[in-house]
Amino acid sequence: MEEGSLTPREELREIVTQLKNLLTFDHDLGLDAPPLSEASLSYLEKGPSMAGSLETLKEAVMDCRRCRLSQSRTQPVFGEGDPRAQLVFVGEAPGKDEDLSGRPFVGEAGRLLTRIIEKGMNLKREEVYICNVVKCRPPGNRDPQRDEIETCLPFLEKQIRLIRPKVICTLGRIAAKSLLGREFRIKAERGKWQSFMGIPLMPTFHPSYILRKPEMEKTLKGMVWSDIQAVMKRLGLEVRKNAQ
Ligand code: URA
């Protein structure tokens, strides 16, 4: 492979492999190499496992009691999808259906999001990654409060760091505001590229917003489709006419 063409993950793998070769070479020669435990050897053997790390993170989220939402939730909703997805959708917080099932975006808004992914983007839901800023349902579907967002955000940051998607698409004002760390005017600013942890971020409307405004459904869906097309172009996906 040409120099400079490695992705950060490939580069890390390369470093780990070279380190392993160096250490085992010294070890075989009986040189004064640092002792290699079985666990270190196995880690070096396999390389960093992204899926494994996401599982570890999920365990921490499932046990989390860092904020008041842990008292009223049925269960946390970690997120789901391809751990190596190129695209991550980030919503606000689980609703009732998600709280009961433990899966993100499975209610009415979720069905609309799934249609956007499958009919609009021509992808399978399992090919992207779907999660929320806040992992536990705020009671009565109220907005998550600032301290709840701040407490939960490190989980999302870690999730994004592990998945390392090419693009993030935030759904709704609160998701965009939380990731960008500033007030966000969804009507004025949706459809304009932003950045989160160096990853291009496309903010669009939340599917629930479309469902709450039936009189504007066509207009809003058109805007979301235009934002999704920008995401698809960035990912090098074919944009089909009349796909929405
Ligand atoms: N709304 C969200 O923001 N997230 C979900 O998972 C479901 C509805």
Side-chain angles (χ1 to χ4, degrees):
M1 193 175 277
E2 268 177 39
E3 207 179 296
S5 61
L6 297 182
T7 65
R9 189 177 291 164
E10 287 164 341
E11 201 175 349
L12 179 61
R13 236 175 237 292
E14 184 67 19
I15 292 167
V16 167
T17 306
Q18 286 183 18
L19 186 62
K20 178 197 161 197
N21 290 343
L22 200 68
L23 290 173
T24 43
F25 184 67
D26 281 1
H27 188 72
D28 290 347
L29 288 180
L31 294 177
D32 195 19
L36 291 179
S37 66
E38 282 304 314
S40 313
L41 272 174
S42 143
Y43 175 78
L44 292 172
E45 208 63 64
K46 290 194 206 122
S49 155
M50 296 304 143
S53 310
L54 263 187
E55 276 311 307
T56 310
L57 181 63
K58 182 172 180 179
E59 281 167 25
V61 169
M62 299 314 279
D63 282 345
C64 180
R65 303 247 157 232
R66 291 179 197 187
C67 85
R68 64 184 81 76
L69 296 182
S70 63
Q71 288 158 25
S72 52
R73 73 185 181 208
T74 304
Q75 57 193 319
V77 178
F78 179 67
E80 66 182 23
D82 183 350
R84 292 174 187 274
Q86 299 205 337
L87 172 60
V88 172
F89 284 99
V90 181
E92 177 180 319
K96 186 168 179 237
D97 296 308
E98 292 75 22
D99 174 72
L100 290 173
S101 67
R103 298 180 55 211
F105 282 97
V106 291
E108 209 187 343
R111 282 192 286 281
L112 181 50
L113 176 63
T114 305
R115 270 211 305 283
I116 292 169
I117 296 165
E118 299 197 335
K119 297 258 172 359
M121 306 187 80
N122 201 25
L123 294 174
K124 296 198 184 83
R125 194 179 141 110
E126 306 76 57
E127 288 179 285
V128 302
Y129 197 91
I130 304 175
C131 57
N132 286 298
V133 173
V134 168
K135 309 298 189 202
C136 297
R137 181 191 184 205
N141 289 357
R142 65 157 168 77
D143 287 353
Q145 292 171 2
R146 182 205 280 250
D147 63 323
E148 294 160 355
I149 293 173
E150 279 170 8
T151 307
C152 215
L153 205 54
F155 287 132
L156 178 68
E157 284 167 356
K158 187 89 198 279
Q159 223 165 358
I160 298 285
R161 203 170 293 124
L162 290 167
I163 300 168
R164 216 60 222 162
K166 286 211 177 114
V167 172
I168 295 168
C169 181
T170 51
L171 304 168
R173 181 182 68 88
I174 291 186
K177 171 184 158 174
S178 306
L179 269 64
L180 299 175
R182 63 171 174 86
E183 275 311 319
F184 191 82
R185 294 162 304 136
I186 188 78
K187 285 187 194 152
E189 294 188 87
R190 57 137 274 276
K192 297 184 183 146
W193 285 106
Q194 310 285 331
S195 167
F196 178 66
M197 290 170 38
I199 301 167
L201 181 156
M202 173 55 68
T204 195
F205 289 119
H206 196 290
S208 305
Y209 183 65
I210 303 179
L211 295 169
R212 281 201 308 271
K213 302 253 174 217
E215 72 288 358
M216 287 175 64
E217 182 182 329
K218 207 155 179 244
T219 315
L220 294 175
K221 277 189 175 165
M223 290 179 187
V224 170
W225 178 231
S226 136
D227 304 343
I228 293 293
Q229 280 179 300
V231 167
M232 292 173 73
K233 283 189 192 134
R234 191 113 193 189
L235 292 173
L237 298 172
E238 187 197 349
V239 178
R240 296 166 309 146
K241 283 196 185 122
N242 307 320
Q244 64 170 311

